[in-house]
Amino acid sequence: GNSVTQMEGPVTLSEEAFLTINCTYTATGYPSLFWYVQYPGEGLQLLLKATKADDKGSNKGFEATYRKETTSFHLEKGSVQVSDSAVYFCAHQGDGGTSYGKLTFGQGTILTVHP
Amino acid sequence: NAGVMQNPRHLVRRRGQEARLRCSPMKGHSHVYWYRQLPEEGLKFMVYLQKENIIDESGMPKERFSAEFPKEGPSILRIQQVVRGDSAAYFCASSWGTGSIGTEAFFGQGTRLTVV
């Protein structure tokens, strides 16, 4: 079945460090891929997305590239800030049929950035 | 344009009571999804609704849980005879469409249900 696996956290970094959060998926067809961010006590916000192979999603300094050959969508940022501290979720969305628009999420990775 | 509105934000129920969670989608959105987030876990799909129709309820527990999205008014997730294991954050998301173009789902802030 469809699934998403994220690297286990928590991840603790110093400000300005490089960030990578790994994400791999299993799915049929050609899903769309997403990264969502959840700040404490809040709902999920879309961070970036990619809808086809080799697409690169980017936003607020974060990037992720849709790698169909490795079924991966790793999140990266060159220089993290304290304000990036949050929980990050990788997700995929089916390409229609019975999957409709529902999202399958990874378990989330807690990121803490220290000054 | 207000975002997805969920209420209440926090809900405390005693075991055996009913919980009713409400979700008003963004204006113009007719697709609603409910997800549950258990402590220390990711979000799990529960149900997908369009106006007056349940499209996919494959993630809903078979008993005590129901959902509706009437022609007028918010979508309701109803949990009857709550148990401690129902304690979780319940998130609603809405979108204008579905399909293969990565239609963005907008999430509400969630309802945090605590069963005591």
Side-chain angles (χ1 to χ4, degrees), chain B residues 15-83:
Chain B
R15 282 178 294 170
Q17 291 185 318
E18 178 181 286
R20 291 171 67 88
L21 288 62
R22 295 174 184 77
C23 169
S24 296
M26 287 183 69
K27 186 177 181 179
H29 288 189
S30 59
H31 301 258
V32 166
Y33 304 81
W34 286 93
Y35 294 85
R36 177 165 64 176
Q37 184 179 31
L38 294 169
E40 310 299 326
E41 293 187 16
L43 280 74
K44 303 294 185 186
F45 168 78
M46 298 182 75
V47 62
Y48 161 43
L49 310 102
Q50 293 182 27
K51 283 287 187 181
E52 299 185 276
N53 289 301
I54 296 174
I55 306 301
D56 180 353
E57 56 182 348
S58 59
M60 288 276 273
K62 294 290 185 276
E63 298 178 349
R64 301 189 296 108
F65 285 71
S66 62
E68 63 178 12
F69 188 15
K71 185 176 180 181
E72 300 291 338
S75 175
I76 305 289
L77 179 67
R78 182 182 179 203
I79 311 172
Q80 295 178 292
Q81 300 175 337
V82 296
V83 301

Side-chain angles (χ1 to χ4, degrees), chain A residues 30 32 34 36 38 40-46 49 51 89 93-96 98-108 110, chain B residues 9 33 35 37 40-45 48 50 55-56 58 91 97-110 112:
Chain A
Y30 301 93
S32 298
F34 302 81
Y36 281 86
Q38 184 181 31
E42 301 294 324
L44 277 71
Q45 301 174 26
L46 178 64
K49 69 179 183 183
T51 59
F89 293 96
Q93 182 185 62
D95 62 351
T98 57
S99 295
Y100 302 97
K102 73 183 183 186
L103 293 158
T104 300
F105 286 91
Q107 70 272 34
I110 300 171
Chain B
R9 290 290 305 276
Y33 304 81
Y35 294 85
Q37 184 179 31
E40 310 299 326
E41 293 187 16
L43 280 74
K44 303 294 185 186
F45 168 78
Y48 161 43
Q50 293 182 27
I55 306 301
D56 180 353
S58 59
F91 289 96
T98 61
S100 60
I101 57 172
T103 305
E104 181 177 352
F106 292 81
F107 281 80
Q109 293 185 302
R112 281 156 181 82

Side-chain angles (χ1 to χ4, degrees), chain A residues 7-63:
Chain A
M7 69 181 282
E8 293 188 13
V11 175
T12 303
L13 296 172
S14 297
E15 207 166 22
E16 299 184 2
F18 184 84
L19 169 70
T20 298
I21 301 177
N22 290 338
C23 172
T24 57
Y25 67 92
T26 59
T28 56
Y30 301 93
S32 298
L33 302 174
F34 302 81
W35 277 99
Y36 281 86
V37 58
Q38 184 181 31
Y39 297 102
E42 301 294 324
L44 277 71
Q45 301 174 26
L46 178 64
L47 181 59
L48 54 85
K49 69 179 183 183
T51 59
K52 61 183 186 295
D54 300 325
D55 265 3
K56 177 185 283 188
S58 61
N59 185 27
K60 299 181 181 179
F62 291 89
E63 293 183 341

